[in-house]
Amino acid sequence: MTKRFFAIFFAAAAAAALLIAGFNAAVDPFGIFGDRLFSWWSYDMTQNPRTAKIGYLDRCHENYDAYIIGCSKTSSFPTDRLNELYGASFYNLMMYGGDLYDVEKTVEYVLEHYGAKHIVVNIGFDELCDYENESDDTKGNLHAKVDGSSLLRFYAKYLFANPEYALDKISAYVKNGFLVNENRVFCAETGVYDKSLRDVEPISSLDAYLEKYPDFETTHTAISSMPDTEACLASIARMKALCESRGASFTFIISPMYANDLDRYICGDLFDFLTRLADITDYWDFNGYTEVSFEPRWFYDTTHPRNAVGEMALAFMAGDTDAYVPDGFGVHVTSENAAELSRYVRPAQEPSVRNREVPVPVLMYHHISDTFQSAATVSSETFRAHMQALSDAGYHTVSFAQLIAYVDRGEALPENPIVITFDDGYASNLEIAAPILAELGFCAEVAVIGESIGGGSEKLPHFSMEDARTWVEAGVLEIGAHSYGMHRTETRQGVYKMRGETEKAYVKAFTEDTQAVTSLIEDGLGVRPSVYAYPYGYHSDITEVILSQMGYRVTLTVQDGVNTIVRGLAQSLRSLKRHNVTEDMSPETLLADLKGLKAQ
């Protein structure tokens, strides 16, 4: 009886173990076994990027010939810009808290197994304080293929891991939505963080940003030494030598840090490391007390610079003089200039924000008419008086194209810039408003409703793209989108999701509507629109992400206020506020309103 009991017990235990192993292998929450059932690599990478990225690349490394490797700050270097710089196909092998041991082992693996032609290593100063710091044996460890540990033990650990990991993946898969969430923080195809939601967060004044993210004003405790300097320098030397032996290029980058975070690392060991590093390899240093390090809006948090900063760094490396790169940001360090470390001396006075931002009010008009009356109609006499008053007061109209050029390339704007906008696309915008604008040397943007282009009623006709062409080519008007068929309050409220509509159906509907109006404008004028004015100002995180992915650089609301446009920060062009102008508003009132908005 006892023997039979034990036989049954061990058979049941073996069956349970096999069941758990089969379940874990099939669901594969860490991307160890090829994730063939779900193929949801973004989830796997979120759990452990060290294991899942290797699992992903083992299947499709033929699509890549170059790798940028490092800690989480590495995600701020966009792969598309790296591809342009190197003429290569990059994959971002950033990992949570990746130390130089992790980086070195990963470099060895991609050179040996993937035949990498270009290696870029990026570090922050955190990684210089602890050469090897692997604290989690499930979500923070390297793949056994990479660190050379026992494959049998490695696979067994994940086969017989707690089934809750697999159950969590199934639950997340069922609930997974359009927007990035805690279960999906990676773009599997590029290896970078999915910042689609963070990168459409509207950003304006510095005070508002610091109120929202007060951690930027935190003072950190300084360190007295960096104990792993020798181990880190030796690791970098080995990586460079290995790249040379494999015929691959080697680039070393030091990532930028926010000034208050940088404070704690300033010590003799740091200066020793920086000077000795140049004897091993030339490197690009984007750290130090630069204009970037004192601008919180260029950071997601005190540790991670925004993608915009990574783009600046790569533009500097490429010698791209068209891109905006703040003065003093970036040094190509060689043994000849390694001892010049003045960038690590904190200035007595922080750089002023005034040289990198400008307040820009946006006015909102609709129809101009002397006969048709509505709350959204302004007479030709009133419109002319408004424009003349703006001109006399020293305002200069600018286009959204000029604002984009200011953000992207740092191109100067005139004094007292202001943007004039019209919604809907009425014929009166061409017949009455455009000549007045041209007479004063002004310009404006008109957001058109796709289904109304060239149509409308006899009392309220809408212009066609052909009608607008002359004014667009003259630089008086630029054309933006105001939806194709979502300018409604019935069934759907503007571009909002309808009651009972699934998220998948909603995303499809909004995407198709936007593509329709985009194509109409592009086909009619040969220019792809970059401005989207939300009908009634209704918008959501989903609409902002979709519009960003479709290339819309500017989004307009109807919220009252003035906008702060920041050089080098594309997000300062999102969810812009507009001041609504009405017929009963005198020129004096309009000017007083603008003065009041700027004072807020």
Side-chain angles (χ1 to χ4, degrees):
M1 182 69 180
T2 303
K3 290 183 179 179
R4 184 179 180 189
F5 171 79
F6 279 111
I8 294 173
F9 173 79
F10 284 118
L18 288 173
L19 184 63
I20 289 173
F23 181 58
N24 283 334
V27 178
D28 198 10
F30 298 98
I32 305 296
F33 308 106
D35 198 5
R36 301 185 187 280
L37 181 61
F38 288 87
S39 195
W40 195 14
W41 290 102
S42 56
Y43 179 92
D44 307 337
M45 292 175 190
T46 300
Q47 305 310 303
N48 186 346
R50 290 168 171 82
T51 59
K53 288 186 178 183
I54 294 302
Y56 176 81
L57 289 169
D58 278 351
R59 293 182 58 183
C60 57
H61 64 269
E62 295 86 358
N63 298 326
Y64 311 96
D65 60 4
Y67 300 87
I68 180 169
I69 307 170
C71 60
S72 55
K73 300 179 186 71
T74 305
S75 184
S76 296
F77 292 88
T79 54
D80 56 348
R81 289 287 295 184
L82 283 164
N83 292 342
E84 293 174 7
L85 179 59
Y86 285 84
S89 297
F90 265 86
Y91 194 81
N92 196 309
L93 272 166
M94 59 137 294
M95 55 197 90
Y96 304 141
D99 52 46
L100 272 175
Y101 171 81
D102 295 334
V103 172
E104 182 180 353
K105 289 299 180 181
T106 305
V107 168
E108 292 175 1
Y109 187 81
V110 299
L111 285 170
E112 180 178 353
H113 295 274
Y114 302 155
K117 296 179 181 178
H118 304 283
I119 296 293
V120 177
V121 170
N122 172 70
I123 65 161
F125 287 164
D126 310 40
E127 292 71 54
L128 303 180
C129 293
D130 197 345
Y131 169 67
E132 184 178 2
N133 180 26
E134 195 167 289
S135 58
D136 189 300
D137 64 355
T138 303
K139 293 192 172 186
N141 59 293
L142 289 170
H143 199 294
K145 292 180 179 179
V146 174
D147 66 10
S149 59
S150 168
L151 280 172
L152 180 61
R153 189 177 303 163
F154 175 80
Y155 286 122
K157 177 177 69 176
Y158 285 96
L159 281 173
F160 299 106
N162 191 327
E164 285 188 3
Y165 291 125
L167 290 171
D168 287 344
K169 181 176 181 178
I170 294 172
S171 177
Y173 188 80
V174 172
K175 296 184 295 186
N176 187 41
F178 175 77
L179 296 175
V180 61
N181 57 68
E182 68 276 7
N183 295 311
R184 193 191 73 233
V185 303
F186 279 95
C187 300
E189 294 76 16
T190 60
V192 302
Y193 278 134
D194 183 343
K195 298 171 184 173
S196 58
L197 189 55
R198 288 298 306 270
D199 283 348
V200 297
E201 172 191 18
I203 296 174
S204 56
S205 73
L206 179 59
D207 289 343
Y209 195 71
L210 290 176
E211 183 177 349
K212 187 174 182 180
Y213 299 108
D215 287 351
F216 283 102
E217 299 183 290
T218 301
T219 300
H220 297 283
T221 303
I223 64 171
S224 59
S225 65
M226 304 178 79
D228 279 2
T229 295
E230 297 297 333
C232 290
L233 288 170
S235 174
I236 296 165
R238 289 192 297 269
M239 285 188 278
K240 183 182 180 185
L242 185 58
C243 285
E244 290 174 346
S245 70
R246 298 276 182 173
S249 71
F250 178 75
T251 305
F252 195 84
I253 298 174
I254 297 178
S255 192
M257 302 172 68
Y258 183 63
N260 287 13
D261 202 21
L262 175 60
D263 288 344
R264 59 189 173 127
Y265 292 98
I266 303 301
C267 65
D269 285 355
L270 172 62
F271 300 146
D272 178 59
F273 172 85
L274 292 171
T275 52
R276 291 174 62 190
L277 176 61
D279 292 330
I280 297 171
T281 183
D282 295 351
Y283 63 96
W284 299 89
D285 189 357
F286 294 101
N287 214 336
Y289 295 108
T290 69
E291 185 175 331
V292 168
S293 67
F294 287 103
E295 174 53 273
R297 291 170 294 186
W298 277 335
F299 289 80
Y300 295 106
D301 52 46
T302 59
T303 303
H304 299 93
R306 291 185 179 274
N307 279 12
V309 176
E311 290 177 357
M312 291 178 193
L314 294 177
F316 180 82
M317 290 171 63
D320 183 358
T321 57
D322 289 334
Y324 174 65
V325 180
D327 291 341
F329 180 60
V331 178
H332 183 232
V333 182
T334 66
S335 56
E336 284 74 27
N337 66 354
E340 173 48 58
L341 294 170
S342 60
R343 62 189 178 279
Y344 286 99
V345 177
R346 207 181 215 279
Q349 186 172 357
E350 296 183 8
S352 171
V353 301
R354 298 303 176 192
N355 64 355
R356 57 179 177 268
E357 67 174 34
V358 60
V360 180
V362 180
L363 300 183
M364 179 173 61
Y365 290 89
H366 289 77
H367 184 38
I368 310 296
S369 176
D370 295 328
T371 57
F372 185 89
Q373 298 299 315
S374 78
T377 303
V378 171
S379 68
S380 59
E381 180 181 358
T382 298
F383 180 74
R384 179 181 286 278
H386 286 170
M387 296 301 103
Q388 188 64 58
L390 292 173
S391 179
D392 293 343
Y395 282 96
H396 297 87
T397 60
V398 294
S399 66
F400 286 114
Q402 286 176 275
L403 293 186
I404 293 171
Y406 172 81
V407 168
D408 289 356
R409 300 189 293 277
E411 293 186 8
L413 293 173
E415 296 251 348
N416 293 322
I418 191 169
V419 181
I420 311 297
T421 68
F422 296 88
D423 282 0
D424 302 340
Y426 298 111
S428 65
N429 302 156
L430 306 186
E431 297 166 357
I432 301 174
I436 295 173
L437 293 168
E439 182 181 324
L440 294 170
F442 278 13
C443 64
E445 182 268 352
V446 184
V448 298
I449 303 169
E451 65 182 3
S452 298
I453 291 176
S457 65
E458 184 177 344
K459 290 184 177 181
L460 276 175
H462 292 245
F463 63 78
S464 68
M465 290 297 95
E466 188 58 36
D467 295 334
R469 181 184 297 276
T470 300
W471 293 110
V472 172
E473 292 176 349
V476 176
L477 297 180
E478 62 181 343
I479 305 300
H482 200 35
S483 85
Y484 180 86
M486 290 188 171
H487 195 284
R488 305 172 183 276
T489 56
E490 300 173 2
T491 309
R492 185 188 301 278
Q493 294 287 312
V495 302
Y496 279 156
K497 183 171 172 282
M498 293 186 297
R499 185 186 299 273
E501 186 177 27
T502 66
E503 184 180 80
K504 183 177 180 180
Y506 171 60
V507 168
K508 182 175 185 291
F510 180 73
T511 301
E512 291 179 349
D513 183 273
T514 304
Q515 186 57 59
V517 68
T518 303
S519 297
L520 270 179
I521 297 170
E522 187 171 20
D523 293 345
L525 297 175
V527 178
R528 190 172 180 85
S530 58
V531 182
Y532 190 101
Y534 285 111
Y536 314 107
Y538 301 154
H539 64 287
S540 67
D541 288 341
I542 288 179
T543 60
E544 278 291 277
V545 170
I546 292 174
L547 289 173
S548 175
Q549 292 174 344
M550 296 181 73
Y552 279 90
R553 300 292 308 280
V554 181
T555 54
L556 305 176
T557 72
V558 297
Q559 182 182 353
D560 200 18
V562 71
N563 307 286
T564 302
I565 309 301
V566 185
R567 274 192 174 120
L569 187 61
Q571 286 174 262
S572 62
L573 295 170
R574 305 210 70 85
S575 299
L576 297 186
K577 302 171 183 177
R578 293 192 287 172
H579 187 57
N580 186 42
V581 186
T582 58
E583 171 66 19
D584 60 0
M585 190 179 291
S586 69
E588 294 76 20
T589 301
L590 175 59
L591 293 178
D593 285 354
L594 290 173
K595 185 177 180 180
L597 289 173
K598 285 188 174 184
Q600 290 179 2

